[in-house]
Amino acid sequence: MNTDKIRQEIRGLSDGKLFFNNAGSSLMPNVVVDSMIDYLKQEEQFGGYEVANRNAKLLENFYTETAKLINCKPSNIAFMTSATEAFAKALSSIIFKEGDAIITTIDDYISNQITFISLQKRLNVKVLRVKKLENNELDLEDLENLIKEHHPKLVAITHIPTNSGLIQDVESVGEICRQYDVLYLADCCQSVGQMVVDVEKIGCDFLTATGRKFMRGPRGSGFLYVSDRVLEQDYAPVLLDMRGAHWSEYDDYELFKTAKRFEHWEVSYAAVLGMMEAVKYADNIGLSQIENYNRNLAETLRTNLAESGFKVLDFGKNLSSIVTFCGSDNDLENIQNVLRENNVFFSASYKHSALIDFTDKKVEGAVRLSPHYFNTLEEIERVSEILKKSLDR
């Protein structure tokens, strides 16, 4: 992997910033931005519908490239404006009734948790959370017992929690869900783009992802994977439009066969094109290469932080490119001030975003650094030194 070449293909690095907020919204490669600008200029001249017709074959490549990324067929892919939209569309295709159960974890993304609680309030759906083992891994025995006892309508797991570096064992969860024939939704918002994600190995029925994070695509892009078995059983979002079905009778319609039934007619095709270019860019480098490179960056950063006296908050056997920490006295403010003063791009999460996890860890929040494959070990050392100096304040 040629990191120097990759860095030259990012105009956003030209002002010397230290960019470590890829888990929030990454820097797009030039080819992503240029393809979108070119497409918008075409729309300026000819109108959106005409340009979409002229570029129909090119736009269709989005499905082919994304399918290649996660090891499925183009017919399993739907374009989405965000992972949250993908998550909502998947959930809306499941007919929940009073007393149905959803099994999730304490680490699920805040918006997912709020969505489940909303279903709980509106439909009296039970929300059950899998226990953690002492090493912070999912208690798979507890998951199996919950499935046996409650016969859930859905198991929903976040592959990499947004407020933790943990990589959860989504493949073992998939094996259990298949054994008991339970619908399985994997939120891969933080894993797609930073590591290999294979839906055949995960064994999920739905997978949600965004473009703007480690995928390095534009904001307003993402995708939903829908398995063949779900499509064959005619699952579809509650609110369809002409993108999802053929109006066959005055009071009836026929669902289209592919995952496009989960889309809406109106989307930004410039965003579709940009997302496609981002997927191609990552695939050309190779996700296994990206994963190995990222692991080295994150491990080095965690080691440096721990040796300097920071409280590193990532626990588990497998950790990702999300590094969360605070001061030994749980300080966040001083750390953030020092990072801003040194042109370091980062993010911070507070207790309300990870209520159960941060309560268990006895912290009020965490600073999050999320290196990616365009970062260098030299940058890791620089940000480590910057943070070390913050302790002297």
Side-chain angles (χ1 to χ4, degrees):
M1 187 167 67
N2 190 338
T3 306
D4 288 338
K5 182 175 182 295
I6 290 168
R7 290 175 67 84
Q8 290 167 11
E9 295 169 347
I10 309 171
R11 284 186 288 265
L13 287 175
S14 60
D15 60 357
K17 65 172 69 74
L18 290 170
F19 193 88
F20 290 104
N21 192 20
N22 297 287
S25 190
S26 188
L27 300 179
M28 291 179 284
N30 297 344
V31 65
V32 172
V33 179
D34 293 344
S35 68
M36 294 175 68
I37 290 172
D38 176 69
Y39 193 91
L40 288 171
K41 286 182 176 177
Q42 291 183 58
E43 287 191 341
E44 178 185 37
Q45 295 296 319
F46 306 109
Y49 280 19
E50 176 63 23
V51 175
N53 289 335
R54 292 185 183 190
N55 290 277
K57 288 185 178 179
L58 176 63
L59 292 166
E60 197 65 23
N61 285 339
F62 163 78
Y63 303 94
T64 305
E65 295 294 336
T66 306
K68 190 192 309 179
L69 179 76
I70 62 169
N71 189 27
C72 67
K73 296 177 294 188
S75 58
N76 298 120
I77 298 294
F79 176 81
M80 294 284 139
T81 60
S82 67
T84 299
E85 184 198 20
F87 200 85
K89 288 282 188 73
L91 281 181
S92 80
S93 72
I94 303 168
I95 308 302
F96 290 102
K97 298 175 183 176
E98 184 172 353
D100 283 343
I102 295 172
I103 296 176
T104 185
T105 71
I106 66 169
D107 296 303
D108 220 22
Y109 179 52
I110 175 176
S111 292
N112 299 353
Q113 297 274 14
I114 289 172
T115 299
F116 298 147
I117 295 167
S118 174
L119 287 170
Q120 188 177 55
K121 287 177 176 288
R122 289 172 180 267
L123 300 176
N124 201 24
V125 169
K126 292 180 288 189
V127 180
L128 309 168
R129 297 182 178 93
V130 183
K131 294 177 185 175
K132 286 291 193 70
L133 301 173
E134 285 187 11
N135 63 0
N136 208 41
E137 296 292 318
L138 283 175
D139 187 334
L140 297 173
E141 185 178 344
D142 183 55
L143 170 63
E144 190 166 1
N145 288 336
L146 287 173
I147 290 174
K148 287 177 181 178
E149 181 179 353
H150 297 281
H151 307 288
K153 203 70 170 264
L154 177 71
V155 170
I157 306 291
T158 296
H159 195 182
I160 299 177
T162 192
N163 298 301
S164 166
L166 177 68
I167 301 174
Q168 306 212 86
D169 188 358
V170 291
E171 293 182 15
S172 294
V173 172
E175 290 175 7
I176 295 170
C177 288
R178 287 195 298 273
Q179 180 183 345
Y180 292 95
D181 194 27
V182 179
L183 280 175
Y184 176 28
L185 191 165
D187 179 344
C188 293
C189 187
Q190 294 289 8
S191 54
V192 166
Q194 71 152 300
M195 61 184 292
V196 175
V197 174
D198 186 329
V199 292
E200 287 298 314
K201 291 181 178 178
I202 296 173
C204 54
D205 295 290
F206 299 100
L207 182 147
T208 60
T210 191
R212 74 178 189 277
K213 297 181 185 289
F214 289 97
M215 201 66 255
R216 300 184 62 208
R219 224 180 156 180
S221 67
F223 66 86
L224 171 66
Y225 159 82
V226 186
S227 70
D228 284 339
R229 81 161 186 155
V230 165
L231 292 173
E232 289 163 5
Q233 292 178 55
D234 287 346
Y235 280 79
V238 169
L239 301 177
L240 288 159
D241 73 2
M242 61 183 177
R243 183 71 166 173
H246 167 66
W247 191 14
S248 55
E249 303 287 343
Y250 283 6
D251 293 307
D252 202 4
Y253 58 77
E254 295 175 4
L255 286 173
F256 292 139
K257 299 298 183 185
T258 74
K260 287 181 183 177
R261 72 174 69 150
F262 284 81
E263 298 179 352
H264 277 150
W265 176 258
E266 276 304 320
V267 297
S268 166
Y269 281 106
V272 174
L273 187 60
M275 181 64 175
M276 182 193 77
E277 292 292 349
V279 171
K280 284 172 61 179
Y281 194 90
D283 263 337
N284 286 338
I285 295 170
L287 269 298
S288 58
Q289 277 201 79
I290 291 171
E291 181 175 348
N292 291 332
Y293 184 88
N294 284 359
R295 185 181 297 112
N296 186 37
L297 292 180
E299 285 178 356
T300 302
L301 180 56
R302 283 194 188 91
T303 299
N304 289 354
L305 292 172
E307 289 178 350
S308 295
F310 291 96
K311 189 185 291 185
V312 178
L313 302 172
D314 307 318
F315 310 111
K317 291 185 295 186
N318 296 307
L319 300 177
S320 71
S321 266
I322 295 178
V323 179
T324 59
F325 63 101
C326 60
S328 59
D329 57 354
N330 291 352
D331 168 66
L332 297 178
E333 185 176 355
N334 184 48
I335 294 171
Q336 293 181 75
N337 290 338
V338 168
L339 290 173
R340 291 189 188 101
E341 289 167 8
N342 286 275
N343 203 23
V344 179
F345 284 68
F346 67 97
S347 64
S349 297
Y350 293 90
K351 200 169 185 177
H352 63 83
S353 294
L355 190 58
I356 303 173
D357 187 36
F358 283 176
T359 298
D360 289 347
K361 290 175 178 175
K362 297 180 173 59
V363 296
E364 293 302 313
V367 173
R368 184 181 70 183
L369 296 177
S370 45
H372 206 7
Y373 62 89
F374 58 76
N375 292 119
T376 64
L377 278 172
E378 289 77 14
E379 287 182 319
I380 295 292
E381 296 301 334
R382 281 172 61 195
V383 78
S384 299
E385 282 300 311
I386 288 166
L387 286 164
K388 190 174 182 180
K389 291 175 183 175
S390 75
L391 297 174
D392 299 328
R393 290 194 172 190

